[in-house]
Amino acid sequence: MDKKTSKLLDLRKEKINELKTEGISLYPNDFKPDHRVHDVKDIIEKNVGSLGENGRKFCLAGRMMAVNKMGKSSFVRFQDDGEQMQAYIQKNKVGDDVYALFKKLDIGDFIGVEGPLFQTRTGEWTLLAERFKLLSKSVRPLPEKFHGIKDPEKRYRQRYLDLIMNENTRQIFKKRSAIVAAMRRFFDENGFMEVETPMMQTLPGGAEATPFKTWHNALGMELYLRIAPELYLKRLVVGGFEKVFEINRNFRNEGVSTRHNPEFTMVEFYQAYATYEDLMDLTEEMFSTIVTQITGAGSVEYQGLTIDFSKGWKRISMIDSLSEIGGIDPAMINDTQALLAYAEKENIQIAKKDRHGKVLTKLFDAFVEPKLIQPTFITGYPVEVSPLSRKSESDAELTDRFELFIAGREIANGFSEINDPEDQYNRFLMQVRQRDEGNDEAHIMDTEYVEALEYGMPPTAGQGIGIDRLVMLLTDAASIREVILFPHMKKA
């Protein structure tokens, strides 16, 4: 804490002690506002010609953001849900004692004001206070309005101050809420049922990732924070719920960056009697619907790029994208050693023990993904990197899987599901071998899930969408920390 802030804090504490000595209640709970600031602004807009004449009174509350204290009258600007309004306090209207209290208050205090509206000389509609009350005393001073909070570290650690001082931050999280609500409406309108599955699991499954571990005292057993809800959602399809979705948190013990947070929000959904191609169609419709509802347009500006969400997104196989977009010689695509040599030449780190499918995927990540700006579906992922995806009937080395890329990053992952229990068991065995070879993110054998498949699961397709990254796109946020209220950070 700097010396200036420390001094201000000391002065406020002295003032608080004085108010307590005077018997002033600093945190009363008996004031009930009857309107919000945005309600009053709507009323003003609709009744601008008659408000000053009809004497209608309004009872409002909010945080003091600016004060112009004069002799026997003062102006105060207060904020409610991000919107501000001005009030005019006169000594002869509220009384000597109340006015004396008002002059002792500080920026950041919560107040209640009641009275009619009038227009100042500048034309600003203002509440003429006939009743005034302190509702909550702030001990610490707010940051200076002129400077705001520019330091990202401070903004993320003290998000409450960020929300008070920065309107842009408030709008990001309001929009995030609207995006999630629009997504829920879309699933509801398309016949999906929202469900909840365990966030603590006996086996971490549904994706290749390193899990967080925890301990259950009552059961005396180790559990994992889930890396994905996939295997539980597909158990519900086995049980007869043919269209399900879940919006919730996932946890992956990985690095922190502008695109990654160890705790993140996803939606996963599963539809019986559908294929991965059906889900690509559904995804186009979903995104275009949400974007139109949120922005009122079919495209958005993101970090200087215009992203067009109109239907008709490009679809291209991973193999074709490596040559057409990544610039890799098609003659090398089936030659693992040639690809490894090419990667080494281009300073791409790939282990020589990696199987062919993984080599292709790492080269795709390096040479193709950053170039996928407009919404693009990449299809035909190798079996080695798709332990839960159905094999392609035209090529046993590939799967019926897609990933959606926008603005050079993955936004969604979907595929036709494996419903052959023997095939799924063998895929898990392949993953177990990869773990034995040192891949800590490879999938663990889950015999209980295989048993569920043995009871029969209809042909099904499923998909996961990263909500944080979608919100980044629709709010023009460069970092994932901008769209998560309380991102993970090292201890201060």
Side-chain angles (χ1 to χ4, degrees):
M1 184 186 300
D2 58 48
K3 291 183 179 180
K4 182 179 179 181
T5 302
S6 179
K7 185 176 180 181
L8 288 172
L9 185 58
D10 289 340
L11 290 173
R12 287 209 177 188
K13 289 181 177 179
E14 290 177 11
K15 189 180 295 185
I16 286 171
N17 288 332
E18 290 177 12
L19 292 172
K20 287 181 177 179
T21 300
E22 294 171 11
I24 303 297
S25 176
L26 304 183
Y27 306 101
N29 194 27
D30 58 355
F31 188 92
K32 302 293 183 184
D34 58 19
H35 284 86
R36 310 296 296 273
V37 169
H38 67 82
D39 295 330
V40 176
K41 288 184 176 180
D42 286 343
I43 293 170
I44 289 171
E45 188 175 343
K46 295 173 183 176
N47 302 275
V48 66
S50 60
L51 273 175
E53 303 171 1
N54 63 22
R56 181 177 177 182
K57 296 181 181 181
F58 299 90
C59 185
L60 300 172
R63 185 190 292 273
M64 290 173 55
M65 300 301 292
V67 180
N68 182 12
K69 294 178 181 177
M70 298 173 282
K72 296 182 179 181
S73 63
S74 301
F75 284 98
V76 56
R77 189 167 296 279
F78 61 97
Q79 180 169 290
D80 161 36
D81 196 23
E83 298 199 48
Q84 295 189 8
M85 190 164 188
Q86 182 173 260
Y88 184 52
I89 318 294
Q90 289 180 300
K91 185 175 182 179
N92 64 354
K93 285 281 187 181
V94 297
D96 294 350
D97 292 342
V98 172
Y99 194 74
L101 168 63
F102 164 73
K103 297 196 75 172
K104 293 179 182 179
L105 299 186
D106 299 293
I107 301 297
D109 294 346
F110 280 86
I111 59 172
V113 188
E114 183 176 10
L117 292 168
F118 76 99
Q119 282 183 290
T120 63
R121 292 177 182 176
T122 61
E124 181 175 1
W125 283 97
T126 301
L127 198 66
L128 176 60
E130 296 179 345
R131 184 163 73 107
F132 179 90
K133 189 177 181 69
L134 169 65
L135 302 183
S136 182
K137 186 76 185 74
S138 66
V139 180
R140 293 180 177 270
L142 294 177
E144 293 182 21
K145 182 64 177 177
F146 178 76
H147 296 97
I149 307 178
K150 301 283 196 300
D151 179 19
E153 183 90 1
K154 186 177 181 67
R155 290 176 49 234
Y156 303 151
R157 289 190 187 279
Q158 295 180 281
R159 183 67 88 183
Y160 47 91
L161 289 180
D162 189 21
L163 292 168
I164 293 170
M165 304 303 297
N166 296 326
E167 179 59 23
N168 182 59
T169 300
R170 295 179 58 84
Q171 291 305 316
I172 284 175
F173 289 104
K174 283 189 171 184
K175 188 171 285 188
R176 179 185 176 115
S177 179
I179 290 167
V180 174
M183 183 172 285
R184 279 198 163 95
R185 282 196 303 273
F186 180 86
F187 281 117
D188 183 60
E189 291 168 0
N190 282 274
F192 285 81
M193 180 177 72
E194 185 169 9
V195 297
E196 295 175 334
T197 61
M199 299 181 75
M200 292 192 298
Q201 303 178 352
T202 54
L203 291 175
E208 291 188 344
T210 303
F212 289 95
K213 296 179 182 180
T214 187
W215 181 261
H216 196 301
N217 288 335
L219 296 179
M221 62 187 294
E222 187 174 69
L223 293 173
Y224 301 87
L225 297 183
R226 76 173 179 200
I227 56 177
E230 177 169 344
L231 300 186
Y232 284 91
L233 289 171
K234 287 191 285 194
R235 284 171 167 89
L236 297 180
V237 178
V238 171
F241 289 145
E242 295 178 352
K243 297 176 81 171
V244 294
F245 78 99
E246 179 173 11
I247 299 176
N248 218 319
R249 310 292 270 184
N250 293 332
F251 308 85
R252 297 181 185 178
N253 204 345
E254 57 190 15
V256 177
S257 71
T258 57
R259 300 185 184 185
H260 295 87
N261 195 66
E263 178 182 355
F264 62 97
T265 304
M266 278 184 63
V267 59
E268 283 207 19
F269 58 98
Y270 293 83
Q271 180 175 347
Y273 311 109
T275 68
Y276 76 110
E277 292 171 321
D278 295 322
L279 293 197
M280 285 192 281
D281 294 338
L282 185 70
T283 302
E284 283 194 37
E285 182 182 352
M286 181 196 309
F287 275 53
S288 62
T289 298
I290 292 173
V291 170
T292 301
Q293 290 179 2
I294 298 301
T295 70
S299 63
V300 300
E301 294 297 316
Y302 181 72
Q303 302 296 297
L305 303 169
T306 300
I307 308 296
D308 185 3
F309 286 92
S310 303
K311 294 181 182 179
W313 298 354
K314 184 179 180 67
R315 302 181 184 187
I316 182 172
S317 71
M318 176 186 283
I319 299 298
D320 290 342
S321 75
L322 286 168
S323 55
E324 292 183 22
I325 300 172
I328 296 176
D329 185 350
M332 293 195 301
I333 295 297
N334 294 319
D335 187 338
T336 305
Q337 295 307 312
L339 292 174
L340 287 171
Y342 180 76
E344 185 175 3
K345 176 185 173 184
E346 298 293 332
N347 295 315
I348 305 301
Q349 299 298 315
I350 301 179
K352 292 184 177 180
K353 65 181 180 180
D354 282 346
R355 292 174 173 82
H356 187 74
K358 194 147 195 175
V359 173
L360 291 173
T361 304
K362 288 183 177 179
L363 289 172
F364 169 86
D365 293 343
F367 295 109
V368 180
E369 181 175 339
K371 299 177 182 178
L372 300 177
I373 305 304
Q374 298 302 323
T376 303
F377 291 113
I378 300 295
T379 63
Y381 277 73
V383 169
E384 292 97 321
V385 296
S386 310
L388 299 165
S389 306
R390 182 186 182 93
K391 287 181 182 178
S392 168
E393 293 185 1
S394 59
D395 188 337
E397 299 298 316
L398 302 178
T399 60
D400 289 341
R401 175 186 172 191
F402 70 85
E403 287 190 349
L404 169 64
F405 293 87
I406 305 175
R409 67 196 60 171
E410 178 199 345
I411 301 295
N413 179 29
F415 40 84
S416 296
E417 305 293 341
I418 300 171
N419 59 347
D420 177 348
E422 183 179 359
D423 185 13
Q424 184 62 80
Y425 180 79
N426 289 331
R427 297 286 195 91
F428 281 154
L429 282 180
M430 182 189 300
Q431 291 286 299
V432 169
R433 285 194 291 271
Q434 290 186 26
R435 290 185 73 85
D436 292 339
E437 294 170 359
N439 181 3
D440 294 335
E441 294 187 350
H443 211 291
I444 292 174
M445 172 63 73
D446 190 338
T447 55
E448 289 187 4
Y449 174 66
V450 174
E451 180 180 335
L453 288 183
E454 289 175 341
Y455 284 95
M457 183 173 79
T460 299
Q463 184 177 339
I465 299 172
I467 288 180
D468 302 316
R469 290 186 180 180
L470 175 59
V471 175
M472 287 174 66
L473 284 172
L474 301 191
T475 59
D476 196 19
S479 170
I480 197 170
R481 292 185 174 190
E482 294 290 343
V483 301
I484 296 175
L485 279 168
F486 300 103
H488 287 285
M489 305 182 72
K490 287 184 177 181
K491 288 185 178 180

